[in-house]
Structures are given as structure tokens and as C-alpha cells.
Amino acid sequence: MPARVTFIHSGDLHLGAPFRGLSGLSEKWSRRLADAIPQAFDTIIDACIESQVDFLLLAGDVFDTAKPGYGHYRRFIDGLRRLEAQGIAVYVVCGNHDPISNWDEIAPQLPANTELLASDRPRYLVHYRNGEPLAVIAGRGFPLYFGDESIIHGMTRSNALKATSQELNGRSVPFVIGMTHTGLWLARDKAPVSKAEIMASGMDYWALGHIHKMYLMPQDAPELAFCGIPQGRDIHEQGDRFCLKVTLEEDRPNRVDLIPTSSVAWRILDVDVSDCGNLGEVSKACIGAMYAANREMLCEEMVARLRLTGPSGAGSVDSAAQVARSGMLAQLRNPAALEELRWELNEGCPSFFCDGISLEVSCEPENVGESGPFAKLVMQEIGAMGQNPTRMSEELMEDFSRLGVMVPDGLLKGLDACMAKAQDTCIELLGGAGL
């Protein structure tokens, strides 16, 4: 019968990490987010037990800081002991957030089922099932100091088997699995490794940490993988998050199954307010967009940042509708109105937290002429200026020169965006004014 091993690959737990960039959190959401990261770790432990895997691989950054708080340390140890009671082994390497030198107090408390691998050199451990060798774990944590040497230097299948030959005493081992914390060629500032080197190592699978997005290569039968962060911490870590259940079987392609781990998802949502004529309709559009996005995710709870988009008037609309939309947009230009809208959404949708709302409406000038000849003249002038960017750049440089000020680096490159913003503002101010 072909040999087979099943394990869960995770990492980048970042226990103790704060949730970043949030404002106006209620007490309820403060408590909820404080528990989301350790809850993701608990979910990983549950998945190991439910699937009865052979072992768990944690590929670095277990903790977010070098000195974890006592509560996070205890949560981690308790999870390992739950696996110990089930006979499930754990192999851990350190990351750049939790270097090996700061594990001095934690390492003596690790249960017998857990091995912390070295960071100064590769370490090779044989994993047994029912007394027979099943896999060699070849691991190295993120080093404190390294020069030009690759973090996986010497970590090959042949070296792993050579290093464990005395222990194996002539017995064969079906699988050799590599594990480390690296940016590969995707993040060259963190222990980079070339694609050629890692693919030539001969490992059956590489369990990698550091990149916070899931990455499988190749996608259908991965030989290396980043599991990604199991719980997003800010708006840049959007969507559902997972750990990887990996099955290796002799003479068959590798198989990876995704196990959801996050309990709170982050999303940036564009909300089209083209057809909204008042703030009530805007609120309804925002609620609809949040529920629609949430239906596509596995998490019931969500932190959302909303961007109000869409033209203020599209196609042919009557003057009353144009006036209503212009007035609505004028209100939304007031930060206090956006904050009040955010408060209403958070009160009315307890499963979601609206982190912020921005107004990014792109107005259309076709109907502004209906407001009067002055509005039409203003829009024609703006259009003419936009068609001659060279002239506009020269005039700006002359204006700044008269003031004795250097032109900001990004200003000239962003003229198109500035003109669009000016056009939007004029439409809102002039719409329906009867000038």
C-alpha cells in the first residue's frame, strides 16, 4: 500500500497583534477583535484534532512581538497540550517577529509533542507513525543575522536523509518536508531564496511562512506553499483566511485542502450611489452592499470600509432629480455627515463594523447645462483646461514660482485627478442653481 501522510500547514499566527487603523470602536467590537486572532489559532487546533492529522507545522511568527503577553503565551501552550492529548506532533520554526533568542522562557514550557527547530542552521527530525519512519522534517527558523547565504543553504532531500541515516538505521522514509520562514523571491528583504534553489532541493513539499497571502505553486498540486495569515489584522488583509490541510501520497500528486480559520473578514466595498437622491437611500445602498459582500464570504462578521462611487447623474434625468442628487452630494462632502452615516450603519448592522466611509463620486457634466448658461460656461472652461495639460502645467509652475515655492513632486503627475475633482465640485455647487 502506498505510504501517505496528512498534516496541517499554518503559520503567521501573530498572537498578540493589535488591530490597526481602526477608529471609533465600540466596547463590543473591541472585545470581539481582541479575541479574533487567538480564536483563529484555536480553530487550527480544532482542525488538527478533527482531521486526526499526523502533525502540525507552524512556519514562523507564532507571536507578533518578541515578548508575548502572558495570556497569548498561555493560549498557545494550551493549544499544544490539546494536540499532545491526541497524539499529534507539532513542529515550529521562528519568524522575524518572534526570533529564537526570545523563546528562552517559552521553550522549557513546550509540551513533549512540540519541537522548536533551530534558526542558525537546518535541523532534521524523523517523524514516526506506529514506530515506523514516516517523514523527515527539515526546518530552519528565521536567522537573527545572515549575510549572503541562503536561509535554505544545505536543506536538500539528500542532506536530510544523510543527517538522519544513523537514526533510520537502513530503514527508508517515504517523505521529506521542508519548512522555513522566508520571502522567497516574492519579498526579497526577508531571507530571499531563488526559485531555482528551492525547486532543486528535492523536497516533497515546502511549508513556508512570512507572506501573508496564500500562495501555492503549482496551484493544482503544490510543491511549495504559503498558507497566509489565518486572521486578517487590517484592511490590507482582506477576505477569508485559511490553514492548509496537506496530503502527500506516494506516486500521486500532492493535495491541499483549505480550512477556514478567520472569524472576522475585512473588505473594501465600492457602493454605487448613482440612483440615490437622499441620505436615506445612501444608507440603504450601503447596507445592501455589505450584506451582498458578506454572502460571498465564510465569515459571518465583517469589518468594512466603504467608498461611495458612481456619477451624480447618469443619462437623462429630470431637473428635480438632479437637484436632489446635487444636494445629497453636498451633504456628503461634510465629514460630519459621513461620520453620522457610519454611526447609523454600525448601530443598525451589529454583525458588521463600518471602519470608514469616503466619498469618491465621479460626476457627469452632461446635465449641468440645464442649470443655466453660467454653469455651462464653467464646465466648458474646465474641459478646455483638461485638454491642454502642457499649458496647465506651465501655468501652475509660474504660479508656484511667483510664490517662491517648489512645485510638489506628485502634483503635475496627478493633474488628471485634480481636474476630475474640480469638475465634481463644480457640478455639485452649480447643479440646480439656476445660474
Side-chain angles (χ1 to χ4, degrees):
M1 178 179 290
R4 174 177 173 174
V5 63
T6 303
F7 57 92
I8 282 184
H9 165 202
S10 189
D12 294 290
L13 306 176
H14 288 277
L15 293 171
F19 280 84
R20 303 171 295 194
L22 290 171
S23 60
L25 278 175
S26 65
E27 184 178 348
K28 170 202 163 185
W29 271 97
S30 295
R31 291 195 305 268
R32 179 67 193 89
L33 292 178
D35 194 52
I37 292 175
Q39 185 178 338
F41 173 64
D42 292 344
T43 300
I44 294 166
I45 300 299
D46 292 340
C48 290
I49 295 171
E50 184 176 331
S51 299
Q52 282 296 294
V53 296
D54 291 291
F55 48 82
L56 166 65
L57 301 182
L58 295 176
D61 284 353
V62 168
F63 299 105
D64 188 63
T65 63
K67 296 292 184 182
Y70 180 76
H72 300 106
Y73 155 72
R74 289 308 317 170
R75 192 94 168 231
F76 179 61
I77 296 296
D78 289 346
L80 301 181
R81 287 179 175 160
R82 288 178 59 204
L83 295 183
E84 182 183 33
Q86 296 288 324
I88 298 173
V90 183
Y91 300 97
V92 184
V93 295
C94 301
N96 55 300
H97 278 255
D98 57 350
I100 189 72
S101 60
N102 295 99
W103 281 73
D104 291 345
E105 296 180 9
I106 302 173
Q109 306 301 319
L110 295 175
N113 68 323
T114 303
E115 292 282 355
L116 177 64
L117 282 71
S119 289
D120 59 339
R121 65 190 185 284
R123 187 180 175 196
Y124 306 98
L125 299 171
V126 181
H127 180 84
Y128 295 88
R129 182 201 288 159
N130 300 325
E132 292 298 317
L134 180 63
V136 173
I137 310 300
R140 182 182 180 183
F142 191 85
L144 291 174
Y145 305 102
F146 59 90
D148 297 331
E149 180 183 281
S150 165
I151 192 175
I152 68 163
H153 179 70
M155 291 178 65
T156 64
R157 185 186 194 90
S158 60
N159 283 346
L161 296 176
K162 186 184 300 182
T164 55
S165 60
Q166 186 172 355
E167 179 181 347
L168 292 171
N169 194 24
R171 293 178 294 178
S172 63
V173 62
F175 306 106
V176 182
I177 299 164
M179 177 170 60
T180 193
H181 194 82
T182 173
L184 287 185
W185 54 91
L186 305 172
R188 297 182 180 276
D189 60 328
K190 292 293 188 298
V193 173
S194 72
K195 182 177 181 180
E197 182 180 15
I198 202 165
M199 298 310 292
S201 65
M203 301 293 185
D204 293 295
Y205 180 87
W206 275 100
L208 304 175
H210 177 62
I211 302 294
H212 286 190
K213 292 183 179 180
M214 187 171 59
Y215 176 77
L216 309 177
M217 192 182 89
Q219 186 76 27
D220 55 346
E223 297 174 24
L224 67 83
F226 287 97
C227 54
I229 193 167
Q231 170 60 61
R233 302 165 300 163
D234 60 34
I235 203 67
H236 303 293
E237 296 173 343
Q238 296 187 61
D240 294 309
R241 297 285 163 160
F242 307 88
C243 64
L244 308 181
K245 179 184 173 183
V246 184
T247 302
L248 308 181
E249 189 169 358
E250 288 182 313
D251 302 322
R252 290 196 175 184
N254 295 350
R255 190 174 84 239
V256 170
D257 298 308
L258 308 184
I259 298 179
T261 52
S262 53
S263 58
V264 178
W266 297 71
R267 285 294 302 270
I268 297 176
L269 302 176
D270 289 333
V271 182
D272 188 350
V273 296
S274 302
D275 297 325
C276 298
N278 55 58
L279 295 184
E281 292 176 359
V282 172
S283 177
K284 184 176 179 181
C286 291
I287 292 172
M290 289 194 292
Y291 275 101
N294 188 246
R295 282 195 295 270
E296 299 174 357
M297 296 186 298
L298 300 171
C299 297
E300 292 184 3
E301 295 179 304
M302 178 177 67
V303 177
R305 186 169 295 176
L306 307 182
R307 301 187 299 198
L308 307 184
T309 65
S312 63
S316 177
V317 296
D318 58 49
S319 59
Q322 182 67 34
V323 169
R325 288 174 184 151
S326 298
M328 179 266 293
L329 290 175
Q331 291 182 65
L332 290 176
R333 289 292 181 197
N334 183 351
L338 290 178
E339 184 59 24
E340 183 176 351
L341 174 60
R342 187 174 82 95
W343 182 86
E344 290 176 357
L345 293 175
N346 288 334
E347 287 293 305
C349 304
S351 295
F352 310 141
F353 177 74
C354 179
D355 164 50
I357 305 176
S358 61
L359 182 62
E360 301 181 19
V361 171
S362 175
C363 301
E364 292 186 359
E366 286 84 352
N367 300 302
V368 175
E370 300 171 4
S371 299
F374 179 71
K376 187 174 182 179
L377 182 63
V378 170
M379 297 311 301
Q380 287 175 345
E381 181 63 21
I382 291 177
M385 292 173 66
Q387 291 173 6
N388 193 344
T390 301
R391 173 193 158 198
M392 188 163 54
S393 298
E394 291 173 352
E395 290 179 355
L396 277 173
M397 293 175 72
E398 289 178 6
D399 290 340
F400 274 84
S401 177
R402 281 195 297 270
L403 295 171
V405 179
M406 295 289 292
V407 179
D409 292 338
L411 180 59
L412 297 180
K413 294 180 181 179
L415 284 180
D416 288 345
C418 289
M419 292 304 298
K421 189 76 170 179
Q423 177 176 285
D424 291 352
T425 302
C426 284
I427 289 174
E428 292 163 27
L429 293 175
L430 297 173
L435 297 174

